[in-house]
Amino acid sequence: MAENSSSAQGGSDERIVSAEMLSSRTAPPPHSTAWRLGKQYAESWPVSSDPQKEAARTSDGYVNSAQYLSTAQRKRDQHTRDAGHNGDAARPGSFRGVDLDYHHWLEDVLGKRPVRWLLGFLSRPRRDGGTIIQQAIESYANPQASLWQRLKYWPIHIAIRRIKGTTSDETFRRSVAEHTSTVRGLVLTARSVAEFGLTTPQRFSAPMFLVWNFTNLCNLNCRHCYQDTAHRRLPDELCLAEKLNVVDQAGRLSIPMIAFAGGEPTIDRDLLPVLHRCHKYGIHTSIATHGGTMTPKLAAELAEAGVRYVEISLDSVDARRHDEFRGVRGMWERSVRGMRIVTQTPGLRLGVAMCVHQGNYDEVERMIQFAIDIGASTFAHFNFIPVGRGLEMVEGDLTPRQREQLLLLLNKWMQSGKIGVLSTAPQLGKVCLAHAPIEGRTAASHAGSGAGLKARVVARYLGGCGAGRCYNAIQPNGDVTPCVYLPHRVLGNVRQRPLAEMFRDNKFWEISCDRARRLSHCEVCKFKNYCGGCLARSDAYYGVLNAGDPGCLFNEKHWEELVRRGVASDPTLANGCDAEAVEAGAGAVQATQ
């Protein structure tokens, strides 16, 4: 399959990629899997040539977003009528018709110039490094706040009381005021709205979060690794002083979250001092690890350094299958032992991560139940993208229909309340909007979710693919990329340029922020503001960032074209896709929770 992927790279779906696009391509970094396979990536962005600009168009898939939304609305209306006929007064609100124009009164206010100026003033860094917003929130309903603080921030406290609505002061203090990273996120959001106004999706003045591939060193050989990791460090990895400088920049920019990945971050001696520096700034930190290095001592040290969430990857509930995929015998037992250590360590929450592909697609529900049984707070689904070492298992990618069914399953568990659910697939937001009750949970971004109407409003600005728009990745050598799944799209290096400058002053910024310039059905999708498609998947299959996500149900015809060209593989497709695809797509829409 790797040979087909390589040889087909120069081909294109003419409805998506124009001939002139193919003449402006560059190669990925030398010695990477992509370089060895001869992959090329476009440096300019085509404009849609499809004259049909309606969501009901049929050129992209057998099911379009207009049909999907309409079917979901009819389903909700029927539930409402049934609940009314049965005299169920408590349930009708749960099935109100799907409406993508959820509105909050703050949206009418935040875009006004005087308010934007005020937000800029309140979020401006002071001499002590803090901001007025931060100090006002921390002093709200705080019995330890001085009389002067209460008087000084009285107007802001009134605004907080209005915005939080029925949320109690105690809950607000516990979930916001005493959660420093949340306050940092509010400061960064205020600063961004002051600069750009309210935009859909929202543009930010600095990343809302960073994923830091801390080292290339790893003691496993996972087949799907996006990082092309090896059993050795890169010769030019950042030294400790350079890493601490990155944290200092993030601290000054009010970046609220940094997720440490790898390689295997826990075997790097610089991890703990960097975590302690993050903790000093109140940055929320998490660790993504295979779990095999976890000990009670290390877990306690991570908690002391401010880490609150440890995510351990597991590819199968079957030890043999997991070890085979990871390339090390006995790894399943070591990872599960690491999970138990995390759940027994005060201050740490466990997430069980699973990169879903053809080899474990049938195990997802069992894995979620396993995560619940072992005491995890979160199940994290990673969208398999054929990049890095994963280019050699392109045939492992899910089909659009499989992905839709997977996301319906994730939504079911998300609404159950038994475990938190995260997904790097931006389409989860679409599924939540169409299939979850309005007071239920919605994927507000691939880093979190929320409940109720406010979460759906937030999802319109923050949700969907955040690559290059609200998050960046940092490579072990200091290269900064829009996403961990876009390792070849380098924005610059922390040794030469500041983080804030690289985030916004690069050739990918506009295309990352402007979903109106997507191609295929992503261009016209009803759920565009909540999803936008995965830029990394577009780039992986077309070498074009804005080509549209071929892994989405609404782009199934484009997926078929990739299969015919040998660029993608579909084990469920025998003789093309005709009426069966329509039926399957309709079934996905009709599927219950």
Side-chain angles (χ1 to χ4, degrees):
M1 190 65 205
E3 291 182 3
N4 287 338
S5 175
S6 173
S7 62
Q9 177 65 27
S12 68
D13 184 335
E14 293 180 358
R15 292 173 295 176
I16 295 180
V17 184
S18 61
E20 57 267 26
M21 280 296 305
L22 303 179
S23 64
S24 59
R25 291 177 176 262
T26 59
H31 310 300
S32 63
T33 301
W35 173 80
R36 182 165 53 80
L37 294 178
K39 298 276 285 184
Q40 296 284 314
Y41 299 95
E43 295 296 322
S44 56
W45 322 121
V47 177
S48 172
S49 59
D50 195 321
Q52 174 61 264
K53 302 300 181 184
E54 300 295 328
R57 76 186 191 192
T58 59
S59 57
D60 303 305
Y62 299 94
V63 176
N64 57 56
S65 59
Q67 292 172 306
Y68 192 97
L69 179 60
S70 176
T71 303
Q73 287 172 329
R74 288 198 303 271
K75 176 184 170 186
R76 291 287 182 82
D77 291 343
Q78 183 60 49
H79 275 296
T80 301
R81 288 192 294 271
D82 292 346
H85 292 157
N86 294 333
D88 185 353
R91 293 295 291 168
S94 301
F95 300 105
R96 281 181 286 171
V98 181
D99 180 3
L100 297 185
D101 294 323
Y102 301 105
H103 186 74
H104 190 276
W105 64 267
L106 271 177
E107 296 176 90
D108 300 326
V109 175
L110 292 178
K112 297 184 181 298
R113 286 192 176 276
V115 175
R116 289 175 59 186
W117 177 89
L118 180 61
L119 289 174
F121 174 75
L122 297 176
S123 61
R124 189 177 304 154
R126 300 162 68 91
R127 290 182 180 179
D128 60 1
T131 64
I132 295 176
I133 290 179
Q134 178 183 350
Q135 294 168 353
I137 291 175
E138 290 174 350
S139 62
Y140 177 80
N142 186 351
Q144 297 181 352
S146 66
L147 177 61
W148 168 240
Q149 287 177 314
R150 296 179 189 180
L151 292 173
K152 181 179 181 180
Y153 299 123
W154 172 71
I156 301 178
H157 290 170
I158 291 177
I160 292 174
R161 193 171 293 115
R162 171 79 190 280
I163 293 169
K164 74 180 182 65
T166 58
T167 303
S168 68
D169 287 348
E170 181 182 355
T171 300
F172 177 83
R173 286 209 54 77
R174 185 176 63 252
S175 60
V176 178
E178 296 173 359
H179 201 253
T180 310
S181 61
T182 300
V183 177
R184 291 175 64 85
L186 292 173
V187 170
L188 179 53
T189 300
R191 197 174 292 161
S192 302
V193 172
E195 181 174 1
F196 299 109
L198 208 56
T199 64
T200 49
Q202 185 60 48
R203 298 184 180 217
F204 291 91
S205 58
M208 284 293 282
F209 61 100
L210 297 169
V211 178
W212 193 342
N213 292 326
F214 205 62
T215 179
N216 202 60
L217 181 64
C218 187
N219 53 350
L220 300 188
N221 191 33
C222 307
R223 292 177 56 204
H224 67 302
C225 184
Y226 59 73
Q227 191 60 21
D228 268 334
T229 53
H231 296 288
R232 60 184 181 277
R233 301 178 190 275
L234 296 175
D236 57 346
E237 289 192 10
L238 298 176
C239 68
L240 177 58
E242 291 170 323
K243 293 172 181 175
L244 294 175
N245 179 54
V246 170
V247 176
D248 290 339
Q249 290 185 60
R252 291 191 295 269
L253 291 170
S254 296
I255 293 174
M257 295 181 287
I258 300 179
F260 291 85
E264 174 51 48
T266 62
I267 58 180
D268 191 290
R269 61 181 177 272
D270 293 340
L271 180 63
L272 287 174
V274 169
L275 289 172
H276 278 287
R277 183 67 66 91
C278 289
H279 191 43
K280 168 190 168 185
Y281 286 103
I283 298 172
H284 175 81
T285 53
S286 63
I287 304 292
T289 170
H290 57 55
T293 59
M294 192 61 62
T295 63
K297 179 177 181 293
L298 175 59
E301 289 174 335
L302 292 175
E304 184 184 1
V307 174
R308 294 294 174 262
Y309 178 72
V310 176
E311 193 171 83
I312 296 180
S313 298
L314 211 61
D315 293 302
S316 174
V317 293
D318 178 82
R320 181 190 58 79
R321 292 180 73 183
H322 174 82
D323 292 352
E324 185 179 88
F325 195 76
R326 294 276 164 170
V328 176
R329 184 176 298 176
M331 198 60 221
W332 191 91
E333 292 289 347
R334 292 166 61 188
S335 295
V336 172
R337 182 169 63 248
M339 291 179 181
R340 294 195 173 100
I341 290 172
V342 170
T343 60
Q344 294 165 5
T345 303
L348 294 184
R349 294 183 296 110
L350 171 67
V352 174
M354 183 184 192
C355 180
V356 181
H357 47 79
Q358 294 292 347
N360 60 10
Y361 172 67
D362 60 338
E363 294 190 58
V364 175
E365 190 142 33
R366 281 179 288 162
M367 184 66 79
I368 295 175
Q369 188 59 58
F370 174 89
I372 294 172
D373 293 342
I374 206 168
S377 66
T378 304
F379 173 79
H381 156 241
F382 279 82
N383 211 12
F384 172 75
I385 309 288
V387 297
R389 198 180 296 148
L391 276 165
E392 297 186 301
M393 56 169 287
V394 179
E395 70 280 0
D397 202 359
L398 301 185
T399 70
R401 277 173 278 161
Q402 287 176 321
R403 184 167 290 102
E404 179 71 16
Q405 293 296 334
L406 169 62
L407 296 177
L408 286 165
L409 175 66
L410 295 182
N411 176 60
K412 180 190 77 171
W413 281 98
M414 181 186 289
Q415 306 311 322
S416 75
K418 295 179 180 179
I419 191 169
V421 175
L422 301 177
S423 174
T424 60
Q427 291 87 359
L428 181 59
K430 169 207 73 178
V431 170
C432 290
L433 287 169
H435 297 283
I438 288 179
E439 69 272 21
R441 300 201 70 82
T442 299
S445 75
H446 68 256
S449 63
L453 181 61
K454 290 180 181 178
R456 296 187 173 216
V457 173
V458 170
R460 183 163 64 247
Y461 297 97
L462 187 60
C465 182
R469 175 183 62 88
C470 63
Y471 109 90
N472 277 170
I474 303 176
Q475 303 301 329
N477 66 350
D479 282 347
V480 176
T481 65
C483 171
V484 293
Y485 292 108
L486 293 167
H488 46 278
R489 299 291 195 179
V490 179
L491 311 181
N493 190 285
V494 297
R495 290 185 172 113
Q496 283 86 41
R497 299 179 68 194
L499 276 177
E501 182 181 301
M502 284 185 284
F503 177 65
R504 293 167 46 184
D505 184 14
N506 66 76
K507 56 192 170 186
F508 310 117
W509 166 256
E510 287 297 332
I511 203 66
S512 298
C513 295
D514 190 355
R515 289 179 182 165
R517 295 173 64 184
R518 301 288 195 269
L519 305 182
S520 66
H521 198 77
C522 296
E523 173 193 13
V524 297
C525 184
K526 287 283 190 180
F527 300 91
K528 177 168 56 180
N529 290 335
Y530 302 89
C531 173
C534 175
L535 293 183
R537 186 176 302 282
S538 302
D539 213 36
Y541 282 104
Y542 295 108
V544 180
L545 273 175
N546 68 322
D549 188 344
C552 177
L553 181 68
F554 305 148
N555 286 323
E556 192 166 20
K557 291 182 180 179
H558 299 298
W559 174 262
E560 288 180 21
E561 178 62 25
L562 291 171
V563 172
R564 280 192 287 269
R565 287 168 39 210
V567 179
S569 176
D570 187 343
T572 69
L573 195 62
N575 299 307
C577 193
D578 43 33
E580 289 186 7
V582 180
E583 183 178 350
V589 176
Q590 294 283 4
T592 63
Q593 300 162 23

